[in-house]
Amino acid sequence: MSLILLVDDDDLFRKMLRITLVKMGHKVVEARDGKEAINLFKQKLPDLVLTDILMPKFDGLETTHALREINPNVKIVVMSAGGGYSTDLLNMGQQLGANHSMRKPFTDQELTATLAELLSEA
């Protein structure tokens, strides 16, 4: 069982994804933005971070960069439904250090495969 930090400003999406992750057997801590995520990351030391890109206060790109400086080995997945800019944002997330990117909406199967791949590398 892994500890996952889930970062998304959309309360409903975050709740639904948390339920899915818990059903998969993971423990989940949640943050609504990057600032909150960085504080929780330092306290909880999760195995993997799932972060939205487009968020107020401190977006997922800034969060990815900051987390890489704190722990170069943490597994990070960036997510975005950012319309026409989604591909560019996801690519930037990977350039800043994310291990993987996922375009919203994604299936439970896509999520399971991504997490299995990244967590097996841990």
Side-chain angles (χ1 to χ4, degrees):
M1 179 181 311
S2 298
L3 178 60
I4 296 176
L5 173 55
L6 174 56
V7 190
D8 201 300
D9 61 316
D10 182 324
D11 293 337
L12 181 58
F13 178 80
R14 198 177 61 251
K15 179 180 179 180
M16 290 172 37
L17 189 51
R18 176 181 41 84
I19 290 168
T20 300
L21 292 166
V22 169
K23 284 182 182 177
M24 291 177 177
H26 301 289
K27 291 183 180 177
V28 179
V29 291
E30 301 176 47
R32 290 190 173 122
D33 61 55
K35 293 272 188 197
E36 187 178 346
I38 290 168
N39 289 331
L40 274 172
F41 183 84
K42 290 175 182 177
Q43 293 170 19
K44 302 292 183 178
L45 303 174
D47 302 300
L48 184 138
V49 177
L50 276 167
T51 183
D52 188 24
I53 293 179
L54 296 176
M55 297 181 292
K57 294 184 185 175
F58 205 73
D59 68 34
L61 298 176
E62 294 168 307
T63 301
T64 298
H65 181 71
L67 292 175
R68 273 288 164 245
E69 289 187 352
I70 296 167
N71 180 349
N73 300 314
V74 66
K75 305 298 181 185
I76 301 172
V77 178
V78 290
M79 311 175 288
S80 182
Y85 298 105
S86 185
T87 300
D88 292 339
L89 291 171
L90 293 170
N91 287 338
M92 287 192 317
Q94 289 194 278
Q95 289 172 0
L96 288 171
N99 299 86
H100 193 78
S101 62
M102 299 182 75
R103 184 187 311 266
K104 294 179 191 175
F106 44 82
T107 66
D108 289 355
Q109 291 80 12
E110 290 172 305
L111 179 62
T112 299
T114 298
L115 296 181
E117 176 186 335
L118 294 175
L119 293 171
S120 70
E121 296 172 3

